[in-house]
Amino acid sequence: MSGFCFRKSDVDFELFKFRDYEFKANSDTILWMNLVKKGKAFLYKDFTNVFRIHGANEQFSLLKKGAEEKLIIYSKDSLNYLGVNINPVKYSEFVYINLYFIKELGFTEKVKELWLSEKEEKMYREGFSVIIVTYKSEETIEGCINSFADTLTEKDEIIIIDNSPDSRTEEAVRELLNKYKNIRFIKNKENIGYAKAINQGVKLAKNGYLVFLNPDTKVISKNWLEYFYLYLKDEEVGAVGGISNAAFFYNNIISYTNVEILSKLSDKEIANSLFNIYKDYFKEVRLLSGFCVATKKEIFADKYGYFDESLILGFDDFDYSMFLVNNGYKQLVIPSIYIKHLNHKSFEKDDKKANKLNQISFNNFMKKLIKKYGYGNVPEPYEFFSDSINLMPYPFFQYLVSGKYRFIFNFSHINKDKEFFREKAKLIKSKPLIAIITVNYKSHQDVCELAYSVINNSYPNIAFIVVDNSEDEEEFLNLEKCITEAFRGSQKKFYILKNKNTGYAGGNNLGIKFAIENLNPEYIWLLNPDTVITENTPIELVRTVEFTDVPVATCKIVDYYTKLCQYNGLKVDFNGIKEEKSGIFRVSFLSGANIFMKKEVIDKIGYMDEKFFLYFEDNEYFSRMLKSNIYPLYTPFTYIYHKGSKTTGKFLTNPLTVYYFVRNLLHWNKEISTDLSSAKNHILYLYQQNIYKRDMLFAILKGVIDYYRGIYGKADLNFSITPEKISKPEPSNNIEEYISNLEKYLFSKPKDIESFKNLLELIRLSAGGGFINGT
């Protein structure tokens, strides 16, 4: 804070000290935090003073001092003294940002003591049997055992079950047998599979507490078994696990740390910092990653009845987690325990065999699910294994690409009887009518190429509807000529509708209304004019909506020129996206370039919102679907080609696209949340990237101002303006006047980044509708 007032009578502490530590860079912070203990703080809404940055504030030494002080202020000791309750996950973000910064400058002894030193804790616990199944693990088993052997007591034991076809792992273990007395080594004559080997180890275990540990791990946290026992002794807890660098969902370290810091700290420093942040914290989950699972023998052996040995390699952890959830047991991730994982190191030498065994396990697991729930009625994976639908697709279900189990999940949450798939198959075989709708804006050549891909497609029942938004007679005649020529001799029908330029949404709405009123199609398929469909796209989309009973679907979008994936159901990137093997899953958003839906969707949620004109109409339409409990699906089993912004120019590389993107990004963010921080940061980055392009800066500025003034629809754009030159405005209590003056100033001095930041922040605070009472 640059200035505040308080009562002298409230001060019964040294102003800028805590535990005899004197603050310099953050003296105001420790002062007001001490004062807040006395009562409430009041933040005055008007400007009371101006803070000036001078040379002394920018000294390099203060940067390091400031980071150190922040870590001291937000230490557990300090926060407990100040009476502050914290959310550990949010708390960790702050800690790791400062650790990352101070690492570059060199850790001080105080920081090491608070955050990176190991805290020895002597806690009573019962004995554990650590069971490790090895397969060609000669390179990793010694490091694994040595990483935790000194944490064991005389009550503990290590049981190694070796499935290797040769004696190399046995030779690597021989030295360990001489070094540690509590290791038992069992050599199998053949590879009996992971599940059967674990069962073998459990039957030999002498202790009531078990740990299943992968041989390609290293236990970094020394008090791992103490904390496993601390939680496992609770009767309601069935299994616990730590976190790792190579695991899924909440077992992954990236859920609890700052990603950049991982490459800067040693394994031990990471483990110690995690312990200091997350001690006494756990995360209840529905699935524990199998690299390290601790459980109780009475639950695993007596109640669960051991691993299903048909799950030869993989999905055993899924099966056990499902059992625990279905029987009311809790599963906990303990983020204060860090276990490094090399991730299937043993199978690198024999990955073909490993993949084959994993495929067998997958098939057997799917059969179990189908037997329990019925084909098409198996709950979606997130219902079993996570607390968020945003944790999809599920990479460990990669074998869904085989197709046999493509439609086993109940995406519609409506139970399917035995006749469901038979009746749907009959419907699909009848090839119901698809109405393809595309909006043309001076892109008749692209539309014609799309038309040829429709004509040449084997799906017989397609009506092709083109809405011309060009408002150009010559363009309309060219469009009509090339489409007529394309469809000459084809049994498929085409329709060309002349329209005013009502934008993407307006054009599509006209086409949809025409199709429903004149053709009565079963399906509406919205496509960008610069797309091309592939041979199996129509039938795969029809199968997806019919066999899942979800009325909206989309598919992969591939760059027409580079053949790289642009859209994968989770994100869009015109530079290409790495494709992951997966089955059908819920999309995180829809791309307006390719939306396939049953006609009933229009009856349920209506037409697209035309107020945006360009961009974010698909976002708004998608949000309305979700509100009506329609969750669009992505199928990876087909794709379309997309040329990319042929009508408006390449995305965000010209003033037209930038203006509508900025204005509508703010409008859209306002609709889904009053917090515009994310949009503000995105726009600021865009502004900085175009700092030497005057017309682009004008487009961004106009987009921001038009949003503030509540302007929607088609805009009258002129980016070759000659603005009046005015001096930089002084801050004013009249915010609307100040914004207006900032607008005029920035059009004359668009490179003033700080003034643009001020403008964005004022508009963010106003939430787009002006300040209360105009003040």
Side-chain angles (χ1 to χ4, degrees), residues 635-654:
T635 174
F637 304 112
T638 189
Y639 61 93
I640 65 166
Y641 288 113
H642 183 217
K643 297 172 186 176
S645 303
K646 288 293 293 292
T647 56
T648 58
K650 196 171 180 182
F651 186 57
L652 297 187
T653 60
N654 62 74

Side-chain angles (χ1 to χ4, degrees), residues 365-610:
F365 185 59
M366 292 296 106
K367 289 174 185 176
K368 290 186 72 169
L369 292 176
I370 293 168
K371 184 178 180 180
K372 181 175 177 62
Y373 297 100
Y375 194 95
N377 293 317
V378 176
E380 290 182 68
Y382 84 89
E383 296 179 67
F384 286 130
F385 307 126
S386 74
D387 56 7
S388 170
I389 63 171
N390 295 322
L391 295 174
M392 291 190 291
Y394 294 87
F396 32 79
F397 282 166
Q398 60 178 305
Y399 299 106
L400 285 169
V401 299
S402 64
K404 183 177 180 180
Y405 302 106
R406 190 175 297 185
F407 301 109
I408 73 163
F409 295 120
N410 189 354
F411 291 106
S412 67
H413 289 201
I414 299 172
N415 194 60
K416 304 172 183 65
D417 60 26
K418 293 181 180 179
E419 293 299 311
F420 174 83
F421 285 98
R422 186 178 288 109
E423 293 301 319
K424 289 295 185 180
K426 288 180 183 177
L427 174 65
I428 294 168
K429 190 175 181 180
S430 72
K431 302 296 189 295
L433 177 63
I434 301 172
I436 290 180
I437 296 160
T438 192
V439 179
N440 175 60
Y441 183 80
K442 300 181 181 179
S443 55
H444 68 274
Q445 291 177 330
D446 291 313
V447 174
C448 282
E449 189 170 0
L450 170 59
Y452 276 110
S453 73
V454 170
I455 295 162
N456 296 327
N457 195 277
S458 61
Y459 194 95
N461 203 5
I462 300 178
F464 190 62
I465 302 168
V466 184
V467 179
D468 183 33
N469 272 6
S470 300
E471 296 181 328
D472 183 309
E473 190 61 31
E474 183 179 354
E475 170 67 14
F476 181 81
L477 292 174
N478 286 332
L479 176 69
E480 188 176 45
K481 180 181 178 181
C482 76
I483 294 293
T484 302
E485 180 64 29
F487 276 85
R488 183 172 286 117
S490 173
Q491 297 298 312
K492 295 172 182 173
K493 303 294 184 182
F494 73 91
Y495 307 88
I496 304 175
L497 311 177
K498 185 180 285 191
N499 189 35
K500 292 182 178 180
N501 188 4
T502 55
Y504 169 84
N508 275 310
N509 286 344
L510 180 63
I512 294 169
K513 288 174 185 175
F514 176 86
I516 291 174
E517 292 171 2
N518 296 278
L519 306 174
N520 193 31
E522 185 72 22
Y523 313 104
I524 303 291
W525 191 2
L526 306 181
L527 286 169
N528 268 16
D530 56 349
T531 58
V532 174
I533 68 172
T534 57
E535 171 56 30
N536 70 336
T537 315
I539 191 64
E540 282 297 341
L541 289 171
V542 169
R543 285 173 181 155
T544 300
V545 298
E546 293 300 344
F547 283 145
T548 64
D549 215 17
V550 173
V552 183
T554 189
C555 64
K556 179 166 53 180
I557 300 177
V558 175
D559 189 282
Y560 180 87
Y561 304 102
T562 67
K563 305 303 184 282
L564 296 173
C565 178
Q566 289 183 349
Y567 169 81
N568 66 353
L570 298 174
K571 61 182 180 178
V572 62
D573 190 335
F574 293 107
N575 295 316
I577 303 169
K578 181 182 177 182
E579 297 179 60
E580 301 289 347
K581 292 182 178 179
S582 71
I584 295 167
F585 61 89
R586 294 187 187 187
V587 302
S588 61
F589 72 100
L590 279 173
S591 167
N594 177 30
I595 301 175
F596 187 92
M597 56 187 170
K598 298 187 76 169
K599 186 187 69 174
E600 66 191 53
V601 174
I602 306 299
D603 299 330
K604 190 169 186 178
I605 69 171
Y607 292 87
M608 303 186 87
D609 192 332
E610 299 182 16

Side-chain angles (χ1 to χ4, degrees), residues 7 9-13 31-41 81-82:
R7 299 184 192 90
S9 59
D10 284 336
V11 178
D12 56 1
F13 52 87
L31 174 56
W32 74 256
M33 288 183 78
N34 268 300
L35 287 167
V36 167
K37 284 188 68 179
K38 305 290 183 180
K40 295 181 180 179
Y81 167 76
L82 294 167

Side-chain angles (χ1 to χ4, degrees), residues 88-89 224 227-232 236-245 247-257 274 277-294 321 324 329-339 385-387 391:
V89 177
W224 64 311
Y227 274 82
F228 283 174
Y229 175 72
L230 178 67
Y231 292 102
L232 276 176
E236 295 184 354
V237 176
V240 300
I243 63 174
S244 177
N245 57 303
F248 48 74
F249 296 168
Y250 292 113
N251 279 108
N252 197 301
I253 193 171
I254 62 173
S255 296
Y256 308 95
T257 59
L274 285 167
I277 294 170
Y278 289 104
K279 179 190 173 185
D280 305 324
Y281 174 82
F282 61 85
K283 173 74 177 177
E284 186 172 349
V285 297
R286 299 184 197 178
L287 172 65
L288 284 173
S289 184
F291 72 95
C292 177
V293 174
S321 285
L324 293 173
Y329 290 107
K330 295 178 181 179
Q331 298 175 90
L332 309 179
V333 171
I334 307 170
S336 60
I337 303 303
Y338 177 47
I339 297 169
F385 307 126
S386 74
D387 56 7
L391 295 174

